[in-house]
Amino acid sequence: MKALFCGTLAVVVALSGPSWAQSTERKNASPGSARETLVGAWHLLWLDEPGADGKLKRITDAKGSLIYTPDGHMSVQVMYAKPESASSNNPVAYAQGGYEGSFGRYDVNEAAHTVTHHVEGANVRALMGKDLPRMYQFSDGHLIISSSRTDEHWSVTWEHY
């Protein structure tokens, strides 16, 4: 009987490990915090990017997803309907062949309203190993991400799945 109890206890402890880790991570984010609000899967609504004339143009035919996990991982994917829609007017190339994708870890600075993507992998290899700070704001149930760089003028609007 003691062996059965110990075996059952070991299984319960093993299965509760991931839950404990996630709940510990959630404790790092206070209820209603920006970090807690960011966590989840988001789908792309539109992008605002500078056109050749410098004026912002809204791109509504792209598809994409953005994922923030409770334990600090992120992934972003954007597929432009037309490869030429991916702006080349920014000083940094984020897309290649009409596709943008990267993954890694992230940190949130709630005082500065920034989320920094620590890129571990990307289809644009020059982004690998880079820290990409992004401004964030929540508006009408949407998440708006924009560059924190003064020489980049774009924003991406997301909605929870």
Side-chain angles (χ1 to χ4, degrees), residues 13-161:
V13 169
L15 292 175
S16 66
S19 297
W20 178 82
Q22 286 182 353
S23 67
T24 299
E25 190 65 35
R26 285 275 189 191
K27 288 179 186 172
N28 293 336
S30 58
S33 70
R35 180 180 174 89
E36 187 174 79
T37 305
L38 282 170
V39 168
W42 300 83
H43 73 91
L44 179 68
L45 291 178
W46 64 80
L47 302 101
D48 289 317
E49 296 190 344
D53 59 1
K55 293 181 181 178
L56 287 181
K57 61 180 180 174
R58 182 155 289 177
I59 299 171
T60 58
D61 58 356
K63 304 288 184 203
S65 69
L66 172 64
I67 299 170
Y68 291 110
T69 66
D71 64 346
H73 291 87
M74 59 73 56
S75 173
V76 63
Q77 316 291 315
V78 175
M79 176 62 84
Y80 292 85
K82 300 173 217 122
E84 63 275 6
S85 293
S87 177
S88 60
N89 297 320
N90 284 320
V92 177
Y94 297 103
Q96 184 175 27
Y99 183 80
E100 177 181 340
S102 64
F103 64 89
R105 299 193 59 78
Y106 73 95
D107 293 311
V108 177
N109 180 332
E110 294 195 31
H113 292 278
T114 60
V115 56
T116 300
H117 295 175
H118 306 288
V119 180
E120 296 173 14
N123 68 313
V124 175
R125 292 186 176 268
L127 296 175
M128 292 172 53
K130 302 280 186 196
D131 293 336
L132 303 176
R134 305 292 187 224
M135 304 297 294
Y136 69 83
Q137 71 180 64
F138 301 103
S139 176
D140 297 325
H142 298 147
L143 167 62
I144 302 167
I145 299 282
S146 58
S147 178
S148 61
R149 293 173 54 139
T150 57
D151 60 343
E152 290 184 333
H153 307 284
W154 55 262
S155 68
V156 185
T157 303
W158 305 89
E159 181 177 63
H160 258 295
Y161 274 107

